[in-house]
Amino acid sequence: MEKHALALITGILCSPSLAFAGIDDLAETGFIKNSSLDLGTHNIWKYLDEGETDKRNVHSAWGQGLALDYKSGYLADAIGVDASYYGVIKLAAADNFASRGILYDDDGQAKGFNKLGQFFGKAKFSQSGVEGNLYGGWKLIKLGVLTTSMRAAPNTYNGWSGDLTYDAYRLRLAYLTKSLNRDSPDKVNFMTSDGHAIDTIYTGDVQFKTDNLTALYFYGESEDYLRRNGLELNLKQNKSLSYGVQIYMTQALDKWDSMANNKKDFDHRANHYAADMTWKYNGWTTKGGLAYTDANKEGGIGMYPRHMSKNSRGTFNSMTTAGLDYMRDEEKVLSLDVDYHITPELVLGINTHYGFFDFQGQPVKEGELNVYTLWKPASKKLKDLSVFAMIGPGRTYEHKGTSPIVDHHGNIKSADSFAAEFRLDYKFNIF
């Protein structure tokens, strides 16, 4: 049991209202009466056939994830405990499965796993219109510079986090020390790209939200490694039209500067700027976006790093969130997502990106086109069921690290790819 969860849970056990309550009385408290237990199932298959490293590789993995989520009510309307247990069963995997983030890489062997992914104490208060929450332990985090990524299981973090809300304003803070990756049962440290431990990541954000405007500013630092500022805006002009802006600015710190050049994504600063517009009309949703990255790197093609360290997942809500592509130095990107509700339950859509930049006088282009479908039945009995599928080709350039691979004429070599994904999610409420 980690010390952060233990501190809050000890508070629960030592609470006067619990100490003097009998078993029958405890069963009538909000702690028990308002608790819930859900069983989630997550079947996911991901496939990628690519040749970016001058070798043809197939990365694929298929796993069945199970999640048992317990949420307590609040004792004395103030203190509670939540926990989640995750398991992943291996169904199939290629030799190069690891990049799919689904199955456990046990020295090159694809395996299933299980873990206690969340276990945290929680406390809340309300006073004069101010609502507050405090959490301690292993928890899903979508806050500041960090986020949670879900495949067959999610990644979680250990530490303290909390929030304060007043009217249209919200403040959130987090101080984190370890993580559990989405494809592993192992508790690990945050790490630099060259394998050195990072003790903490601390972060926070401030949000202002009304019916037509959401503005979010966030800040965070992986200790002595990277510092990041971000701004996300969303403006609704009316029910049909809305606009978005995302600005992410990252600065290198001492541990980054001390790494060898081949371990760095950029030299000193990396910034990503994006804007998008969404239009909804008669069952159609069309979203288009523009993006630009500034990430200079000596001797190679620099790129914006989405994550604040190894073993963490970084906040990134630009339309260019597609692996490592579309965030190269001086790359301009056009993105488009169009979907149509064939029925209220069934969506069919296309998603495409086109990026271009120059490297040492040569034009470099990359892009992809994906067709996808999503089915979410309207039946109350199946309201927590969703089925998603996507398939499509792509093209980028061959590279070794951040340096492009050239042919005997000195031209940068291109590389084709083909990707597919299937996902089925369903949740059962046990109580």
Side-chain angles (χ1 to χ4, degrees):
M1 185 184 301
E2 297 292 335
K3 61 182 181 180
H4 306 111
L6 183 60
L8 277 179
I9 294 167
T10 300
I12 295 171
L13 297 177
C14 295
S15 168
S17 59
L18 180 60
F20 292 103
I23 295 177
D24 292 338
D25 293 335
L26 179 61
E28 294 300 314
T29 66
F31 183 84
I32 300 298
K33 292 179 66 175
N34 297 328
S35 64
S36 65
L37 182 65
D38 294 325
L39 174 63
T41 65
H42 312 284
N43 186 287
I44 181 168
W45 171 73
K46 289 182 73 70
Y47 173 93
L48 175 64
D49 182 351
E50 57 85 18
E52 293 186 16
T53 59
D54 200 27
K55 294 180 181 179
R56 205 73 206 170
N57 287 313
V58 172
H59 310 277
S60 85
W62 184 20
Q64 176 62 57
L66 301 170
L68 195 62
D69 295 308
Y70 170 76
K71 295 182 179 180
S72 79
Y74 285 88
L75 187 65
D77 200 32
I79 303 174
V81 180
D82 289 2
S84 296
Y85 191 81
Y86 304 110
V88 177
I89 301 168
K90 174 189 171 183
L91 300 178
D95 290 340
N96 295 292
F97 70 94
S99 65
R100 302 300 83 206
I102 297 171
L103 300 174
Y104 181 45
D105 185 354
D106 186 6
D107 197 23
Q109 297 296 313
K111 293 184 178 180
F113 61 92
N114 55 77
K115 61 183 177 181
L116 183 62
Q118 291 196 93
F119 186 61
F120 61 92
K122 58 185 181 181
K124 68 174 183 176
F125 73 91
S126 177
Q127 183 69 38
S128 302
V130 177
E131 306 287 337
N133 295 278
L134 176 66
Y135 308 99
W138 286 95
K139 188 178 183 300
L140 295 168
I141 295 289
K142 293 184 178 181
L143 188 165
V145 300
L146 295 177
T147 191
T148 293
S149 173
M150 178 71 185
R151 293 286 171 90
N155 67 295
T156 58
Y157 303 93
N158 182 53
W160 292 96
S161 61
D163 59 77
L164 292 172
T165 303
Y166 177 74
D167 196 24
Y169 300 91
R170 185 191 67 191
L171 169 67
R172 300 188 299 177
L173 299 170
Y175 181 88
L176 306 167
T177 57
K178 288 183 180 294
S179 71
L180 274 164
N181 288 323
R182 60 191 179 183
D183 55 1
S184 171
D186 301 327
K187 298 175 181 178
V188 292
N189 293 316
F190 304 120
M191 304 289 290
T192 65
S193 292
D194 60 351
H196 291 87
I198 297 171
D199 291 336
T200 60
I201 295 179
Y202 54 87
T203 186
D205 59 44
V206 179
Q207 177 183 272
F208 173 77
K209 186 175 183 179
T210 64
D211 291 340
N212 296 317
L213 174 66
T214 301
L216 177 74
Y217 167 77
F218 61 82
Y219 172 89
E221 181 175 320
S222 45
E223 190 175 30
D224 297 328
Y225 187 59
L226 292 175
R227 178 181 297 134
R228 179 165 296 166
N229 291 269
L231 178 66
E232 296 180 349
L233 301 174
N234 184 266
L235 174 64
K236 294 181 180 179
Q237 181 171 322
N238 49 50
K239 292 182 179 180
S240 300
L241 196 59
S242 62
Y243 310 92
V245 174
Q246 302 89 37
I247 300 173
Y248 306 108
M249 298 179 291
T250 303
Q251 177 185 349
L253 302 179
D254 290 345
K255 288 182 179 179
W256 181 278
D257 290 335
S258 66
M259 292 193 304
N261 186 62
N262 64 353
K263 296 293 184 179
K264 300 178 182 178
D265 294 322
F266 64 94
D267 289 333
H268 304 294
R269 292 182 180 272
N271 301 331
H272 182 84
Y273 311 94
D276 58 67
M277 181 176 69
T278 302
W279 179 54
K280 297 181 179 181
Y281 180 74
N282 282 353
W284 290 90
T285 300
T286 301
K287 184 176 182 179
L290 305 171
Y292 177 76
T293 299
D294 179 12
N296 184 65
K297 178 178 170 61
E298 183 179 352
I301 297 176
M303 65 178 297
Y304 175 86
R306 284 199 303 167
H307 311 309
M308 294 296 292
S309 69
K310 285 187 175 182
N311 302 324
S312 73
R313 311 294 302 180
T315 296
F316 192 80
N317 293 307
S318 164
M319 286 188 73
T320 55
T321 176
L324 301 178
D325 296 325
Y326 313 116
M327 292 180 286
R328 323 285 184 179
D329 183 38
E330 297 187 357
E331 184 168 15
K332 283 74 70 176
V333 183
L334 306 175
S335 299
L336 179 66
D337 191 288
V338 181
D339 68 53
Y340 178 67
H341 276 267
I342 300 173
T343 71
E345 300 177 335
L346 182 63
V347 174
L348 180 65
I350 61 169
N351 175 270
T352 184
H353 306 282
Y354 175 70
F356 55 96
F357 59 97
D358 290 335
F359 179 71
Q360 296 180 350
Q362 289 193 53
V364 183
K365 302 174 183 179
E366 57 183 351
E368 63 186 271
L369 174 65
N370 299 301
V371 179
Y372 65 88
T373 184
L374 173 65
W375 178 59
K376 299 183 72 173
S379 167
K380 290 184 178 180
K381 293 182 178 179
L382 298 176
K383 66 182 180 67
D384 293 313
L385 171 67
S386 66
V387 181
F388 173 84
M390 182 176 69
I391 190 169
R395 167 166 284 199
T396 184
Y397 63 92
E398 293 186 14
H399 58 87
K400 183 178 182 180
T402 59
S403 299
I405 297 174
V406 299
D407 60 21
H408 61 282
H409 295 297
N411 297 319
I412 297 174
K413 300 171 69 175
S414 62
D416 295 324
S417 64
F418 188 82
E421 178 178 345
F422 171 83
R423 184 178 187 98
L424 187 153
D425 296 302
Y426 190 49
K427 184 174 70 174
F428 305 84
N429 178 249
I430 300 174
F431 63 78

